[in-house]
């Protein structure tokens, strides 16, 4: 009998064994050479934690708030697509696991379960993610079903080149969530139909002025996901969004874009505390979460590890992934002399740039 996983990364191998190659490659793969995919994880390894000693850490409190909503830890479930390819219960299982862990889930626009199915599955705080203003109806459905915020993913004017999907001739399934809004049935003899499907659901004309349109049709707070630069962070503040997500789309869009942890502080300094900044990309350990918080993130989003847990062990797998990360973060906080999330400061980490300045 194979040993049980003792960390989040070990769920990836279990998912690889459980899934058809086409589906595993869809979840695990990145764009083109996958350099950014690799760097998203490796860049964390180059950040050093500076622990403080002789601090009373007999009680460690990881709880925080995100847009005013209480959460058990600064961890969210990132919006990821097509959960039923990983497990028959799909996003409903993920939602239940997130709720059980006191974690906010962001439901993807490309969910295989409907907004209504996820909303009725359990009582919890959830956000809804959009790729474009496909229809005011989608926003209204999310609002009517108790979702608390809208996340606009803004880094997908076109689909990144995901070569594993092309080789595998990955086929996008029918999406019940989009029935009546857009046809998701695409026929192509050129391999994967993902790009053809994306051309119907993505909007290359989406720009900053459309934020005003989105704000006009909903009372929910709006976050922009996909920001990697100081310039775009400042622009996001200027257009009046409620928050931003530093993200490179899990390295699935533009290869050789920066690893997200390497630009987090640039964005934080640009925002200057005016809106919360969430972080997405490459988190595999509680130490990674600690590093992102020390550099200024309000919370981190977890993407692929959630899918791997779901594929390996269903709802329980997702719970275990979230619990592992929470346990590791709590231990890291204790060993670093931090009793609460507010105690984690910039002085608790040393980046490559910090080390370079020390040599000058």
């Amino acid at each position: 009998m194979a040993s049980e996983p003792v960390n989040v990364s070990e769920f990836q191998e279990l998912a690889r064994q459980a899934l058809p190659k086409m589906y595993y490659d869809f979840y695990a793969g990145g764009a083109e050479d996958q350099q950014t995919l690799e760097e998203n994880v490796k860049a964390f390894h180059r950040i050093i934690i500076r622990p403080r000693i002789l601090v009373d850490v007999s009680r460690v409190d990881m709880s925080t708030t995100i847009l005013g909503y209480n959460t058990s830890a600064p961890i969210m479930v990132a919006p990821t697509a097509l959960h039923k390819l990983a497990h028959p219960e799909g996003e409903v299982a993920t939602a239940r696991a997130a709720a059980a862990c006191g974690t906010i889930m962001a439901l993807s626009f490309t969910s295989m379960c409907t907004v209504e199915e996820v909303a009725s599955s359990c009582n919890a705080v959830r956000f809804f993610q959009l790729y474009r203003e496909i229809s005011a109806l989608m926003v209204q459905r999310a609002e009517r079903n108790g979702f608390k915020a809208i996340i606009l993913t803004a880094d997908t004017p076109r689909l990144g080149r995901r070569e594993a999907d092309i080789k595998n001739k990955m086929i996008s399934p029918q999406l019940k969530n989009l029935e009546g809004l857009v046809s998701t049935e695409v026929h192509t003899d050129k391999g994967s139909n993902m790009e053809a499907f994306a051309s119907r659901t993505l909007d290359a004309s989406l720009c900053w002025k459309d934020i005003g349109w989105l704000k006009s049709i909903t009372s929910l707070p709006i976050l922009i996901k996909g920001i990697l630069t100081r310039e775009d962070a400042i622009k996001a503040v200027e257009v009046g969004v409620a928050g931003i997500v530093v993200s490179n789309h899990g390295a699935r869009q533009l290869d050789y874009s920066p690893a997200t942890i390497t630009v987090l502080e640039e964005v934080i300094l640009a925002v200057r505390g005016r809106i919360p900044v969430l972080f997405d990309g490459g988190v595999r350990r509680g130490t990674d979460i600690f590093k992102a918080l020390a550099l200024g993130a309000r919370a981190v989003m977890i993407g692929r590890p959630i899918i791997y847990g779901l594929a390996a062990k269903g709802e329980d797998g997702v719970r275990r992934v979230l619990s592992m990360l929470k346990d590791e973060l709590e231990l890291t906080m204790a060993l670093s002399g931090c009793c609460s999330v507010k105690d984690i400061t910039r002085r608790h980490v040393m980046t490559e740039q910090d080390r370079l300045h020390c040599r000058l």
Side-chain angles (χ1 to χ4, degrees), residues 19-305:
L19 293 172
K21 183 178 185 299
M22 177 187 292
Y23 295 165
Y24 174 78
D25 287 351
F26 169 73
Y27 290 129
E32 297 184 352
D33 296 328
Q34 301 190 127
Q35 188 271 346
T36 299
L37 179 66
E38 184 177 335
E39 273 297 296
N40 264 1
V41 174
K42 284 189 172 181
F44 275 105
H45 302 171
R46 297 190 289 271
I47 300 173
I48 297 169
I49 295 175
R50 302 178 68 246
R52 302 300 301 273
I53 62 170
L54 294 177
V55 177
D56 179 359
V57 290
S58 55
R59 296 185 65 181
V60 174
D61 180 10
M62 295 184 293
S63 66
T64 189
T65 60
I66 301 172
L67 295 184
Y69 296 102
N70 295 327
T71 182
S72 64
I75 299 170
M76 288 183 60
V77 174
T80 50
L82 310 181
H83 287 207
K84 281 191 176 182
L85 299 186
H87 188 274
E89 293 184 343
E91 289 82 4
V92 165
T94 306
R96 288 173 178 158
C101 293
T103 303
I104 295 173
M105 174 185 178
L107 181 68
S108 172
F109 166 84
T110 48
S111 167
M112 294 179 75
C113 297
T114 66
V115 166
E116 292 78 10
E117 288 170 339
V118 172
S120 63
S121 67
C122 54
N123 183 27
V125 174
R126 280 177 289 267
F127 298 170
F128 184 69
Q129 175 262 339
L130 283 173
Y131 278 107
R132 55 163 282 185
E133 75 272 26
I134 185 169
S135 170
L137 180 60
M138 285 298 294
V139 176
Q140 291 162 0
R141 281 171 61 194
E143 194 165 358
R144 187 168 60 247
N145 283 278
F147 286 72
K148 302 303 184 183
I150 299 294
I151 300 175
L152 177 66
T153 295
D155 57 6
T156 52
R158 293 174 59 179
L159 193 70
R161 183 176 174 82
R162 304 165 191 177
E163 294 177 357
D165 292 343
I166 296 171
K167 288 180 179 179
N168 292 333
K169 298 185 178 181
M170 175 66 187
I171 302 299
S172 175
Q174 291 288 291
L175 297 178
K176 190 177 177 183
N177 209 29
L178 301 183
E179 287 180 359
L181 298 177
V182 62
S183 172
T184 59
E185 187 173 358
V186 180
H187 301 284
T188 177
D189 58 1
K190 297 180 181 179
S192 169
N193 79 339
M194 297 298 289
E195 187 170 355
F197 167 69
S199 70
R200 294 190 180 186
T201 55
L202 304 180
D203 185 356
S205 70
L206 185 69
C207 59
W208 288 106
K209 66 178 177 61
D210 292 311
I211 305 300
W213 173 86
L214 189 55
K215 290 172 69 176
S216 74
I217 66 165
T218 182
S219 60
L220 296 179
I222 297 166
L223 300 91
I224 297 181
K225 182 173 179 284
I227 287 178
L228 294 171
T229 64
R230 174 183 181 273
E231 293 85 351
D232 282 343
I234 292 172
K235 188 70 176 176
V237 173
E238 290 174 348
V239 299
V241 297
I244 60 180
V245 184
V246 175
S247 173
N248 56 26
H249 210 103
R252 293 164 70 81
Q253 281 298 100
L254 178 64
D255 201 18
Y256 297 95
S257 62
T260 43
I261 195 63
T262 66
V263 297
L264 173 58
E265 191 166 29
E266 174 185 332
V267 171
I268 292 293
L269 293 174
V271 169
R272 293 189 284 118
R274 289 173 286 181
I275 55 175
V277 176
L278 307 181
F279 175 85
D280 170 60
V283 173
R284 299 294 183 271
R285 285 282 191 182
T287 49
D288 297 337
I289 300 171
F290 184 92
K291 292 170 184 179
L293 298 178
L295 290 173
R298 183 75 180 181
V300 304
M301 289 183 159
I302 310 298
R304 286 183 178 89

